[in-house]
Amino acid sequence: MGYGNMIFAINNRFNKEVLGGAGIFSTKNKYELAHNLRKFLDHPEKREYYQDMARKRIKEYYTWDLITDKYKRLFDSYSNS
């Protein structure tokens, strides 16, 4: 995601939490996946949109500074209890 790659993922709650709206979700059905891949090969503007969304999602939620700040707050909440 950080490199702006197009992300296809299995439709489950864990992937949805990480990707938000920055990825394409599919079942494990190979025909559905092939259909989704073809759709984005045929429409580069959609691919570019999701690539941009992936980069934005990383910057908003998954930089090292954000992650370490969240861990610090978590650890601090336990030490203050």
Side-chain angles (χ1 to χ4, degrees):
M1 286 175 64
Y3 288 104
N5 292 324
M6 182 74 201
I7 306 296
F8 289 88
I10 299 297
N11 188 2
N12 64 41
R13 66 185 176 128
F14 305 108
N15 291 336
K16 284 188 169 195
E17 180 181 340
V18 172
L19 293 174
I24 301 302
F25 300 99
S26 181
T27 65
K28 293 182 182 181
N29 181 296
K30 63 184 176 184
Y31 300 108
E32 182 181 350
L33 178 58
H35 172 75
N36 284 337
L37 287 169
R38 175 55 49 202
K39 183 170 49 175
F40 286 94
L41 289 172
D42 292 343
H43 300 281
E45 70 282 357
K46 288 183 180 183
R47 185 174 62 243
E48 291 169 7
Y49 168 81
Y50 280 97
Q51 289 170 327
D52 186 49
M53 292 300 294
R55 283 188 291 271
K56 288 178 181 176
R57 181 121 177 119
I58 286 293
K59 288 179 184 175
E60 188 174 348
Y61 294 99
Y62 297 108
T63 66
W64 280 114
D65 288 339
L66 291 171
I67 292 169
T68 55
D69 287 347
K70 287 179 183 179
Y71 272 115
K72 184 179 182 320
R73 285 194 303 275
L74 176 67
F75 295 146
D76 287 347
S77 73
Y78 284 107
S79 66
N80 294 332
S81 315

